[in-house]
Amino acid sequence: MAKMLSRVAPWLASHKDGPAPDGATVRVLGVADTRQLRELAENDPVANVFILAHLESTDSAAPTPGGANVLGVFDDDVLVGACWAGANLVPVQLDPELAGPVAAAAHRSGRRYASIFGPAATVLALHRHLEELGHLAHEVRADQPLMTITGPPAVEPNWQLGFGQYADFDAILPACAAMFEEEVGYSPYLGGRDFYSRRVAGLIRQGHSLVHLKDGEVVFKAELGAVTAEVTQVQGVWMNPTHRGLGLSAGYMAAVVLLAQKMAPVTSLYVNDYNSRARATYERVGFRQVGTFATVLF
């Protein structure tokens, strides 16, 4: 632990929320912590694209108006790990040994989390501690290859794919909802339609929705769920069931890569290990595994 601590930059400490191993403490980060959080996350810009995208858009580590915050773990005023705590828990350079106090702090907030996602060892450690605190998972996806591509794709792109337009929102939203339900097993509209609709609309307005429509219906779509100047993370890949099995996916994914590279040089995604067909498509396009994620669904 001491060797790990010596490699990270100094942090400005404030109040302490709770104890952690080896004298470390956990607290909610504030505005003054922004630079150091960014430096921590930049140790792995692919794995940490979620928090880096948040920092690029807000330039602040402080709690959001919606109540999300970042839990920081410190030792002798040095940041040794962090974890986004909003609708989801997303660890940032967090050693699995420090998962216990972070899970305890997340539990004390009283918030219900939809998921944990990120590097597998830490996600699974957080899950174990949260389970002891009564947070029971709906599903654990323990092995999700994290893949990236730089440079041109290895197959010809299908340029019927383009950036989604808000005029097509009424066609894009049902496709997004169908993908979500296939992926997690329940409707994104549970508890109300407005939140998910705003999320999809926001992606379209940001230019992060990629879609091919034919006769007013989505054939293929994907989103850039997190975007920084270095990395994009592709999410929500979905093919209309009437077009599956025709060998179209690789061409669409090649177009996704080239469109994503207009924003950042590295295109990333993570995929369930058991989805052999999708993995084969991504590898054919040129994606290669650089790590392993896990997702816990509550």
Side-chain angles (χ1 to χ4, degrees):
M1 185 71 172
K3 290 182 179 179
M4 181 183 74
L5 297 184
S6 68
R7 293 199 299 267
V8 294
W11 196 279
L12 298 176
S14 63
H15 70 280
K16 299 178 179 180
D17 286 342
D22 300 326
T25 57
V26 178
R27 67 169 174 85
V28 174
L29 303 188
V31 174
D33 301 312
T34 302
R35 179 178 59 82
Q36 294 93 335
L37 176 61
R38 183 179 288 111
E39 289 175 352
L40 180 74
E42 285 174 347
N43 283 299
D44 190 339
V46 172
N48 298 319
V49 64
F50 175 88
I51 193 66
L52 287 168
H54 172 74
L55 291 174
E56 283 197 10
S57 65
T58 66
D59 195 31
S60 177
T64 70
N69 57 49
V70 181
L71 300 169
V73 185
F74 299 85
D75 188 284
D76 292 334
D77 297 340
V78 174
L79 184 74
V80 295
C83 186
W84 170 267
N88 309 293
L89 291 172
V90 187
V92 181
Q93 299 298 106
L94 183 66
D95 191 287
E97 293 180 4
L98 298 173
V102 171
H107 172 71
R108 285 195 299 272
S109 75
R111 184 188 293 271
R112 295 183 62 183
Y113 303 99
S115 73
I116 318 169
F117 64 87
T122 301
V123 166
L124 298 176
L126 284 167
H127 168 234
R128 286 193 298 271
H129 289 287
L130 284 168
E131 189 173 44
E132 293 172 357
L133 295 168
H135 299 256
L136 302 181
H138 165 68
E139 185 178 355
V140 178
R141 300 176 181 181
D143 185 355
Q144 297 177 306
L146 176 64
M147 309 178 80
T148 63
I149 181 173
T150 58
V155 301
E156 287 295 316
N158 183 340
W159 283 123
Q160 293 175 296
L161 189 76
F163 292 105
Q165 304 299 313
Y166 191 72
D168 298 316
F169 173 78
D170 288 340
I172 295 172
L173 179 62
C176 292
M179 178 284 305
F180 185 99
E181 190 159 355
E182 285 183 26
E183 180 67 17
V184 303
Y186 59 85
S187 170
Y189 300 145
L190 288 178
R193 186 186 182 97
D194 287 350
F195 177 81
Y196 189 73
S197 297
R198 288 197 301 271
R199 168 67 174 162
V200 173
L203 289 167
I204 296 171
R205 290 193 176 102
Q206 289 173 304
H208 296 172
S209 170
L210 310 176
V211 64
H212 171 211
L213 289 114
K214 183 178 180 181
D215 299 326
E217 189 174 62
V218 172
V219 177
F220 176 94
K221 69 94 188 171
E223 288 83 44
L224 304 179
V227 176
T228 71
E230 294 183 69
V231 181
T232 60
Q233 187 180 89
V234 180
Q235 300 175 358
V237 177
W238 183 83
M239 179 78 75
N240 190 309
T242 61
H243 295 271
R244 295 176 186 174
L246 302 177
L248 301 175
S249 295
Y252 281 121
M253 284 305 303
V256 167
V257 170
L258 292 172
L259 291 170
Q261 286 176 348
K262 293 178 180 291
M263 303 180 192
V266 180
T267 308
S268 71
L269 55 80
Y270 57 100
V271 58
N272 295 315
D273 67 311
Y274 54 78
N275 194 343
S276 57
R277 180 173 294 181
R279 290 179 64 182
T281 295
Y282 300 147
E283 289 170 0
R284 181 183 168 199
V285 171
F287 284 88
R288 295 294 179 263
Q289 185 170 356
V290 296
T292 303
F293 266 25
T295 299
V296 176
L297 300 171
F298 291 104

